[in-house]
Amino acid sequence: MSIILKLLIFLYIGFISVHLFSCFFHFENPRIVTKVFLMPFLSLIYYNMTPKEKFSKTIFIGIILGFFGDVVLLCEYYLPFVLLGIAFFFFGHVLYVINFVIETGLKNIKKYFYFIIIISLIYFIYAKFAFNNLKEGFERGDILLPGTFYISLLAILNIASGIYAYSYFNLYAILVHVGTFIFTVSDFILARKMFYENRKYYQFILMAMYIAAQTLICVGMANKKNRIEKEKLKSN
């Protein structure tokens, strides 16, 4: 591990610590300042951690789009900023989905037909549950259509990462799927916070989960096995 990477990780952990401390004790100024630095540092960690042959531009850009989403959602009580934040995260998730499909391989997806059916049912049931619990809030906030599309995309994201994890079935691939699932839960909490009730520790919980989700995806993809390595492992 290079000195630069160690320094980036140290600073990232520092910003996370201050940010979560500020969320827990409701210190607004340090919370806002530290939030802006989280995803830029994670993107730099991913860039420096990942071997060149395994570096994914889609993952890198997805993290950067998360940064823009974080910034605009600092103004979460203004509808145009909410819609813009949804758009940034939406396209970031689209890039993640594209990456998972490419890494799995379209030809290989056919091999997992029954698994795809099962995991699709699980996550679309979850999406239905989330939609039923958020529909009224989406209607009040005038975001029923974008909210519906976003929930549907989260289901697709988890299905794609689940297929990816199942196809490689190693620790880092599983971490990626865990990360996307945690992302989904954190977004559900965010929506409850914005459109229903802002409970005392919602901000702390959703940010802890969001940071964990992005970090797990980043670490998992930085240490991924590509398809050539996978075939070598199988042959051995």
Side-chain angles (χ1 to χ4, degrees):
M1 186 182 294
S2 68
I3 295 175
I4 293 176
L5 181 56
K6 288 180 181 177
L7 179 61
L8 288 170
I9 293 173
F10 175 79
L11 291 172
Y12 182 56
I13 292 172
F15 277 113
I16 290 173
S17 301
V18 175
H19 182 74
L20 293 181
F21 180 86
S22 302
C23 289
F24 191 85
F25 291 103
H26 307 285
F27 298 147
E28 282 300 294
N29 288 337
R31 179 186 75 83
I32 291 170
V33 172
T34 51
K35 186 177 183 181
V36 172
F37 286 96
L38 294 174
M39 291 305 104
F41 270 98
L42 184 60
S43 65
L44 290 173
I45 289 170
Y46 175 72
Y47 179 81
N48 284 274
M49 179 187 291
T50 311
K52 288 183 179 180
E53 68 275 9
K54 297 183 181 180
F55 180 78
S56 170
K57 291 181 181 178
T58 54
I59 295 296
F60 183 78
I61 297 172
I63 297 171
I64 296 299
L65 288 173
F67 158 71
F68 287 116
D70 288 344
V71 171
V72 297
L73 285 179
L74 289 171
C75 304
E76 63 188 55
Y77 298 106
Y78 298 94
L79 182 58
F81 289 97
V82 172
L83 292 174
L84 189 57
I86 290 173
F88 279 126
F89 282 109
F90 184 93
F91 288 112
H93 292 336
V94 168
L95 290 177
Y96 285 172
V97 169
I98 292 171
N99 183 82
F100 298 147
V101 171
I102 292 172
E103 290 293 335
T104 305
L106 290 174
K107 293 181 180 179
N108 293 326
I109 288 177
K110 296 178 182 178
K111 299 177 183 178
Y112 313 120
F113 177 78
Y114 293 108
F115 177 78
I116 292 171
I117 296 298
I118 294 169
I119 196 171
S120 297
L121 285 173
I122 291 170
Y123 280 110
F124 277 114
I125 289 170
Y126 177 83
K128 178 64 175 174
F129 165 81
F131 178 77
N132 289 342
N133 280 270
L134 298 173
K135 181 181 178 182
E136 186 179 331
F138 285 165
E139 289 174 340
R140 284 201 305 267
D142 293 325
I143 64 160
L144 181 59
L145 186 61
T148 303
F149 277 119
Y150 189 77
I151 288 175
S152 300
L153 179 63
L154 285 173
I156 294 169
L157 173 67
N158 278 279
I159 292 166
S161 71
I163 297 167
Y164 166 76
Y166 184 75
S167 67
Y168 285 85
F169 208 73
N170 59 54
L171 173 62
Y172 292 110
I174 293 171
L175 287 181
V176 170
H177 181 58
V178 172
T180 61
F181 177 74
I182 294 174
F183 213 137
T184 302
V185 178
S186 73
D187 279 344
F188 178 79
I189 295 172
L190 175 61
R192 295 290 303 182
K193 171 182 175 291
M194 291 173 63
F195 301 112
Y196 286 91
E197 52 194 347
N198 189 1
R199 294 187 179 180
K200 187 174 182 180
Y201 296 111
Y202 264 7
Q203 188 68 40
F204 171 79
I205 294 169
L206 76 89
M207 284 308 300
M209 296 185 77
Y210 168 67
I211 293 166
Q214 291 279 43
T215 303
L216 287 173
I217 293 170
C218 172
V219 172
M221 295 309 299
N223 293 277
K224 67 185 180 183
K225 299 290 185 184
N226 59 35
R227 287 197 297 275
I228 296 174
E229 290 174 320
K230 178 184 172 184
E231 293 303 321
K232 284 183 179 179
L233 286 172
K234 281 187 175 181
S235 63
N236 292 331

